[in-house]
């Protein structure tokens, strides 16, 4: 949007712009306005040394960019003639009609309201400005365009004038531009003012941004490319995708006012995606959240809840593969128009219609409201504050008992308030009153409340760790952390170690104490911790958030276990869960549930070491590892591939309580009632018997073979044990060895 600063503003340029706009303009009337202004300003110079007429032309160029109507563009060309030349209002009325004359008169009156110094920024003067706006909003739009060009050329003015103009712009005109929703003018006004108000900070931010400019462009381009690739599959007409960098003043506010680290400004980089319909906005949002990791609590839906200045968009912040967070703004073309041009956007669509639609009524209602509600105040700051405050529903304003105003984000508590006043007030706080009533420390403050902090004189008093969860501002949080960092090292180490161990347990990470420093080495380096205790302490005071480390620690742990060929506890759990599906009670790794049968030669039981054999078409047959068939065949070239490891599922993980058949070979001195004793012994220990056969051996002994069901090898052992105690029994053996 920025135009070149000086030298190029000729009437031809304006004419070109008007032609490019593709809109219907009364070009004869505009030319006539130019000729009149040119003749009256003849001989006058700007501080830059240029002819004065370049300024009104530049102002009208901005008005054309904003899509304003013929009268407004004429008034832009003529805005300084009544004040600075011998031309009168009557002349203008005669030649251009009342419409143009009234606009010029409005701008001339605005100019007479002095606001450059603190003393001049009185309630009366601010009110006059609002009043002029409420009569015809186009007056304010001309004024903003006038101010924008003056700010662009401010460097040519005298030093002492610069600061005053910059201050007035920052305090009055940028907030008004914001309130009217003309975001590009607001941003440019802020950036230009900031440059003159705090040149050192401005230079520093410029430098910081420049340092990484190459990286930045590369990053934004690669993000844009990835999004374009992904969206091209889903959208018939590809959405417009723009990359942008936060304005210098926007960064300044976050760094100097909110106390954020430069690297923590998540919306330093932003990508804007513009689509056709509201539905597409939400579709794109889903795709973006699928492509990148969203940062929790950073999603804002200004489509369903527009800002007070009608701004609509979806905002989310995500982390790219490069690990750099960036903001994504998603909106329709119409919303984009409103976001960039605000109230002026209206003229884009409805040529020549003044502010009579309901939308514009809403947009201007706040001007009337302020005028009404502030009728009796002499406090200009309060009026300006009101202009700003209902702009940002995310901010609240509370007061100290002495009447000083403290700005806090919405949801802030008395703790945030205390730290906003002074670090020591925060550390020594032991209670708080809101509107003279005692409240708990998690009490959220609201706009207009008077908050009093009760402190103790005890120098050793400090914040409570739980405050970290209660407070809302980074300022309070970082001050509390730094207190703990300094004052409570032992406690921090203890807390930090506990927290890390808790997270490890939750994520099935098990590292022997002796290997911990090695395992955490890269994280310790990254956070400048020389020892494990330093690292624990940093976690303890909140300098390191375990939740942010845990994913990559988990990955590192899994890699480490893989390298050592050890299954992680998590994998074991997963396998156990797979085992749930196993009806047979046997798990074949890497294969889900499959047909399992137990080899007739060895009858394996849970607890036996087992091996599987892939049969041709009958699933897997399971043998004991000491089965002779297995031992004989395992080295057979043709069969070797068919043997594969299998294992028993945990009993509670199988879907049915499985029993396994086992056959026992019993030898005893033959006697009457032997078989009956065996049967009753089994019944006594509740072992079902499926088959039994007995035969006489030549040496007078008897051989009894019984087939029973058992749950596993443990139970089989106790059965053998029990049967061995039956009188005259000589041996009990399991068949199928
Ligand atoms: Mn001017």
């Amino acid at each position: 949007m920025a135009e070149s600063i000086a030298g190029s503003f000729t009437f031809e340029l304006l004419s070109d712009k008007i032609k490019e706009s593709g809109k219907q303009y009364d070009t004869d009337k505009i030319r006539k306005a130019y000729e009149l202004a040119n003749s009256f300003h003849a001989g006058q110079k700007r501080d830059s040394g240029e002819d004065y007429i370049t300024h009104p032309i530049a102002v009208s160029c901005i008005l054309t960019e904003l899509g304003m109507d013929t009268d407004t563009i004429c008034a832009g060309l003529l805005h300084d003639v009544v004040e600075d030349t011998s031309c009168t209002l009557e002349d203008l009325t005669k030649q251009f009609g009342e419409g143009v004359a009234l606009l010029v008169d409005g701008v001339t009156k605005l100019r007479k309201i002095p606001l450059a110094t603190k003393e001049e920024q009185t309630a009366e003067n601010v009110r006059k400005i609002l009043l002029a706006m409420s009569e015809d909003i186009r007056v304010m739009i001309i004024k903003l365009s006038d101010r924008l060009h003056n700010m662009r050329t401010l460097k040519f003015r005298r030093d002492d004038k610069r600061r005053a103009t910059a201050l007035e712009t920052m305090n009055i005109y940028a907030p008004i531009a914001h309130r009217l929703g003309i975001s590009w003018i607001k941003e440019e006004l802020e950036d230009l003012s900031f440059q003159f108000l705090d040149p050192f900070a401005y230079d520093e931010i410029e430098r910081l941004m420049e340092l990484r400019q190459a990286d930045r462009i590369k990053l934004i381009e690669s993000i844009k490319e990835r999004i374009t690739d992904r969206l091209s599959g889903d959208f018939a007409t590809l959405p417009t995708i723009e990359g942008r960098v936060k304005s210098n003043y926007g960064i300044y506010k976050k760094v100097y006012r909110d106390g954020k680290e430069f690297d923590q400004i998540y919306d330093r980089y932003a990508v804007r995606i513009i689509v056709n319909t509201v539905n597409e906005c939400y579709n794109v949002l889903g795709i973006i959240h699928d492509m990148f990791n969203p940062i929790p609590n950073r999603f804002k839906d200004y489509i369903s809840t527009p800002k007070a200045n009608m701004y609509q968009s979806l905002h989310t912040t995500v982390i790219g593969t490069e690990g750099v967070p960036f903001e994504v703004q998603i909106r329709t073309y119409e919303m984009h128009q409103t976001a960039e041009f605000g109230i002026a956007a209206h003229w884009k669509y409805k040529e020549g219609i003044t502010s009579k639609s309901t939308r514009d009524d809403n947009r201007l209602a706040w001007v009337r409201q302020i005028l009404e509600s502030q009728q009796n105040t002499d406090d200009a700051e309060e009026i300006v504050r009101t202009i700003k405050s209902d702009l940002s529903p995310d901010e609240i304003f509370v007061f100290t008992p002495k009447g000083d105003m403290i700005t806090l984000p919405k949801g802030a508590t008395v703790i945030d308030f205390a730290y906003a006043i002074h670090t020591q007030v925060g550390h020594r706080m032991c209670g708080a009153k809101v509107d003279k009533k005692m409240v708990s420390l998690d009490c959220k403050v609201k706009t207009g409340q008077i908050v009093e902090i009760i402190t103790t004189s005890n120098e050793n008093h400090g914040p409570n760790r739980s405050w970290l969860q209660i407070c809302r501002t980074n300022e309070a949080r970082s001050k509390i952390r730094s207190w703990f960092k300094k004052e409570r090292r032992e406690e921090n180490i203890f807390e930090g170690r506990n927290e890390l161990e808790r997270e490890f347990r939750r994520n099935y990470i098990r590292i022997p104490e002796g290997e911990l420093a090695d395992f955490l080495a890269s994280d310790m380096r990254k956070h400048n911790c020389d020892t494990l205790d330093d690292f624990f302490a940093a976690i303890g005071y909140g300098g390191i958030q375990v939740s942010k480390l845990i994913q990559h620690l988990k990955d590192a742990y899994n890699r480490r276990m893989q390298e050592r060929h050890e299954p992680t506890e998590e994998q074991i759990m997963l396998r156990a869960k797979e085992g749930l599906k196993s009806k047979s009670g046997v798990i074949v790794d890497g294969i889900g549930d499959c047909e399992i049968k137990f080899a007739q030669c060895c009858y394996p039981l849970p607890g036996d070491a087992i091996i599987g054999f892939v049969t041709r078409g009958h699933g897997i047959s399971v043998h004991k590892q000491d089965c002779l068939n297995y031992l004989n065949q395992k080295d057979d070239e043709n069969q070797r591939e068919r043997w594969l490891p299998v294992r028993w599922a945990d009993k509670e993980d199988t879907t049915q309580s499985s029993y396994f058949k086992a056959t026992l070979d019993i030898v005893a001195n033959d006697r009457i009632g032997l078989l009956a004793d065996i049967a009753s012994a089994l019944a006594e220990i509740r072992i079902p018997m499926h088959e039994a056969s007995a035969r006489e051996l030549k040496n007078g002994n008897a051989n009894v073979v019984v087939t029973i069901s058992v749950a596993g090898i443990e139970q089989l052992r106790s059965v053998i044990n029990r049967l061995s105690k039956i009188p005259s029994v000589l041996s009990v053996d399991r068949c199928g060895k």
Side-chain angles (χ1 to χ4, degrees), residues 46 52 55-56 59 79-80 84 107 111 143 146-147 150:
R46 296 271 291 167
Y52 194 86
H55 167 66
V59 171
H79 79 272
D80 281 332
D84 292 345
V107 178
R111 221 177 109 168
K143 181 69 195 174
D146 176 39
R147 179 51 58 104
N150 285 336

Side-chain angles (χ1 to χ4, degrees), residues 203-386:
D203 285 349
E204 188 180 342
I205 288 171
E206 279 275 271
R207 204 170 40 77
L208 278 172
M209 295 299 280
E210 241 163 60
L211 267 180
R212 304 166 201 204
Q213 188 154 29
D215 291 348
R216 192 168 70 219
I217 292 168
K218 228 169 68 193
L219 179 78
I220 290 184
E221 282 310 309
S222 90
I223 292 169
K224 270 173 64 179
E225 213 171 285
R226 284 186 57 195
I227 296 177
T228 308
D229 280 357
R230 175 69 184 267
L231 294 186
S232 58
D234 291 331
F235 290 83
T237 50
L238 195 67
T240 304
I241 302 172
E242 300 174 346
R244 70 186 278 274
V245 179
K246 201 175 182 61
S247 71
N248 283 357
Y249 182 65
I251 290 173
Y252 171 83
K253 275 197 294 190
K254 297 236 157 152
V255 172
Y256 292 86
R257 206 185 62 187
D258 303 346
K260 287 203 175 147
E261 294 289 323
F262 186 71
D263 287 326
Q264 285 178 334
I265 304 173
Y266 289 156
D267 46 2
R268 206 166 74 217
Y269 307 104
V271 172
R272 194 175 277 157
I273 304 172
I274 310 170
V275 295
N276 288 312
T277 65
V278 171
N279 260 348
E280 284 177 356
C281 290
Y282 290 97
N283 285 348
V284 168
L285 179 77
I287 292 170
I288 294 297
H289 279 182
D290 184 44
M291 291 178 72
F292 306 98
N293 283 329
I295 296 180
N297 303 324
R298 297 272 314 177
F299 171 64
K300 285 185 190 127
D301 185 348
Y302 294 121
I303 291 182
S304 62
T305 321
K307 284 192 190 181
N309 60 6
M310 304 283 171
Y311 177 86
Q312 286 185 296
S313 260
L314 299 177
H315 288 192
T316 184
T317 305
V318 297
I319 298 191
T321 38
E322 295 84 354
V324 181
F326 59 94
E327 188 177 78
V328 182
Q329 304 173 347
I330 307 164
R331 53 175 77 146
T332 65
Y333 288 97
E334 200 188 338
M335 292 171 192
H336 183 57
Q337 198 71 15
T338 303
E340 288 293 303
F341 295 100
I343 194 154
H346 200 75
W347 277 271
K348 294 247 164 194
Y349 301 116
K350 291 182 186 154
E351 170 74 25
I353 296 173
T354 45
S355 54
K356 287 288 176 280
S357 79
T358 40
R359 251 179 99 118
D360 289 325
D361 274 351
N362 284 340
R363 238 194 270 264
L364 283 174
W366 67 277
V367 180
R368 286 189 281 278
Q369 260 170 33
I370 293 170
L371 285 171
E372 280 159 25
S373 68
Q374 304 291 334
Q375 216 130 57
N376 300 315
T377 181
D378 287 326
D379 183 356
E381 256 180 63
E382 198 183 327
I383 301 180
V384 174
R385 192 190 310 141
T386 319

Side-chain angles (χ1 to χ4, degrees), residues 465 481-499 533-542:
R465 221 174 268 279
R481 275 182 197 146
S482 70
W483 187 87
F484 276 107
K485 186 178 176 180
K486 271 205 291 261
E487 306 287 329
R488 292 286 190 271
R489 185 171 158 87
E490 289 312 308
E491 198 182 312
N492 289 333
I493 293 173
F494 179 78
E495 291 277 341
R497 176 185 278 275
N498 269 346
E499 194 183 330
D533 276 357
D534 289 349
F535 192 72
F536 293 144
I539 295 173
Y541 72 76

Side-chain angles (χ1 to χ4, degrees), residues 129-148:
I129 285 209
L130 295 177
L131 207 59
M133 262 169 85
S134 72
E135 274 163 17
D136 192 331
I137 193 67
R138 290 176 297 173
V139 170
M140 183 48 72
I141 293 175
I142 297 168
K143 181 69 195 174
L144 287 174
S145 306
D146 176 39
R147 179 51 58 104
L148 182 58

